[in-house]
Amino acid sequence: MNLIGELSSLANSLPGAAAQGLIWGIMAIGVYITYRIMDIADLTVDGTLCTGGAICIMWMLSGHSVWMSLFFALLAGMAAGLVTGLLHTFMGIPAILSGILTQLGLYSVNLKIMGKANQAINVDKFDLLISLRYIKNVPFFKNTILLVAVITVVLIVILYWFFGTELGCSLRATGCNGKMARAQGINTDLCRILGLMISNGLVAFSGALLAQYQGFADVNMGRGAIVIGLAAVIIGEAVFGKVFHNFGFRLLGVALGSIIYYLVLQVVIWRKFDTDLLKLLSALVVAIFLAVPAWKSRYALWVSWLKKDFCEYWKTSKVKQGGEG
């Protein structure tokens, strides 16, 4: 009976984990744009996630609609990406340091936006788009999982269209080979700035949804977001990389990777794993998956060397045997 009760508890917690995974999946798509497409290590996201949540909560508390609040959260994220892009391109600061500087500055900005370390919003008093309470026993059109899934699909369709345009292809070319793109007349600095703006806009939008889902925005809610985003990207590529070859499906794979990450996290918690070690576990997962390609290439190199040495040894021994005969 105890086992049945534990399994029932796990089953009840999985829908919430899936909803949270979908929300973070939007953030992971933003990380994918900078990490994979633009080839930029952007750490701005740890601050931008909170900025989106803070803007959304404060605008709703001041009486604005949820859609207006989400829109301004998106704009705030894009503004943060613009700052990082200008630090990197105009001021010549390396991308990773530019992200750290913007993230550091956003901590103070987020405190000023909220007026204190955290701000709560009551789902009973405000018309939130999604909420932790909207997981079960609600009409299907208010279900958090369905709404976030629809929003994610719409965003993927928009991004698929955009990166198929001339400007979108310029962004992809800049990330693939900046020198070659510049030789073709592409303004690579502008493309990097635009890529950072799109990425951080999505991250802030995800933060706005997350703040609504959990019912509050906290100044530390974005801490470690880059690790979760990278984990979702890497898991999505590892699981769906051989199946999803189309760009749009790759973005979908990243979102699904985020869901898998949170489902696995929920199972780990269910198995009574020490929650103080969850960040360490996430870091280890990311490190292992990042190291796998290097291990594969080294393994292939070692195998080729062994084959080459064996063939040379076999030929030498044959020549010796022929000479002796």
Side-chain angles (χ1 to χ4, degrees):
M1 281 299 287
N2 190 30
L3 178 60
I4 294 175
E6 289 182 359
L7 290 174
S8 177
S9 175
L10 175 63
N12 289 330
S13 64
L14 289 181
Q20 200 168 358
L22 274 169
I23 295 170
W24 282 89
I26 297 174
M27 187 277 299
I29 292 174
V31 172
Y32 180 86
I33 291 174
T34 51
Y35 180 66
R36 288 299 190 207
I37 298 178
M38 302 304 302
D39 194 26
I40 295 175
D42 180 32
L43 298 181
T44 316
V45 297
D46 281 19
T48 314
L49 188 84
C50 176
T51 302
I55 291 286
C56 180
I57 294 297
M58 296 309 295
W59 270 77
M60 291 196 70
L61 289 175
S62 63
H64 294 84
S65 69
V66 63
W67 292 107
M68 184 67 70
S69 302
L70 286 170
F71 176 70
F72 277 99
L74 177 69
L75 290 183
M78 295 182 73
L82 174 63
V83 172
T84 302
L86 290 175
L87 288 174
H88 174 48
T89 58
F90 181 71
M91 299 184 69
I93 301 173
I96 190 168
L97 292 180
S98 299
I100 291 173
L101 290 173
T102 307
Q103 175 201 137
L104 185 64
L106 284 175
Y107 186 88
S108 297
V109 172
N110 295 334
L111 281 174
K112 281 296 183 182
I113 290 172
M114 294 188 290
K116 54 182 180 179
N118 55 71
Q119 282 283 0
I121 190 166
N122 195 326
V123 66
D124 297 323
K125 296 181 181 179
F126 294 88
D127 188 20
L128 302 183
L129 182 64
I130 61 173
S131 172
L132 181 60
R133 297 188 191 179
Y134 298 161
I135 297 293
K136 298 178 182 178
N137 304 320
V138 293
F140 76 95
F141 56 86
K142 291 190 69 175
N143 186 279
T144 294
I145 297 176
L146 176 63
L147 285 173
V148 180
V150 171
I151 291 171
T152 302
V153 171
V154 170
L155 288 174
I156 289 174
V157 170
I158 293 173
L159 290 171
Y160 180 77
W161 166 80
F162 172 75
F163 280 101
T165 63
E166 183 177 351
L167 181 57
C169 290
S170 298
L171 265 69
R172 297 169 75 174
T174 300
C176 184
N177 191 326
K179 292 181 179 179
M180 182 63 72
R182 198 179 301 111
Q184 297 297 321
I186 297 173
N187 189 335
T188 54
D189 286 346
L190 178 62
C191 288
R192 290 191 179 96
I193 292 173
L194 185 57
L196 287 165
M197 289 177 66
I198 295 171
S199 170
N200 284 281
L202 289 172
V203 173
F205 186 82
S206 173
L209 292 175
L210 180 63
Q212 291 183 57
Y213 176 78
Q214 61 191 14
F216 66 91
D218 187 88
V219 73
N220 292 314
M221 64 185 285
R223 182 172 294 177
I226 185 65
V227 176
I228 298 175
L230 287 174
V233 170
I234 294 164
I235 291 171
E237 289 179 341
V239 176
F240 305 103
K242 294 184 178 180
V243 180
F244 294 161
H245 301 290
N246 179 276
F247 176 72
F249 282 110
R250 286 182 181 176
L251 296 179
L252 178 61
V254 170
L256 294 176
S258 178
I259 297 174
I260 293 173
Y261 172 82
Y262 269 93
L263 290 177
V264 171
L265 206 63
Q266 194 61 49
V267 173
V268 169
I269 295 172
W270 171 70
R271 295 298 298 170
K272 296 181 173 56
F273 185 81
D274 187 357
T275 54
D276 292 340
L277 300 176
L278 288 179
K279 294 289 185 182
L280 176 61
L281 179 65
S282 301
L284 288 174
V285 169
V286 173
I288 290 170
F289 275 98
L290 285 173
V292 164
W295 290 344
K296 282 184 176 179
S297 61
R298 290 178 184 176
Y299 174 76
L301 190 61
W302 290 337
V303 169
S304 64
W305 282 347
L306 288 173
K307 286 182 178 179
K308 183 179 179 180
D309 291 342
F310 177 77
C311 289
E312 289 179 355
Y313 172 77
W314 186 79
K315 289 178 181 179
T316 304
S317 62
K318 281 292 183 181
V319 170
K320 288 182 178 179
Q321 289 177 6
E324 292 173 358

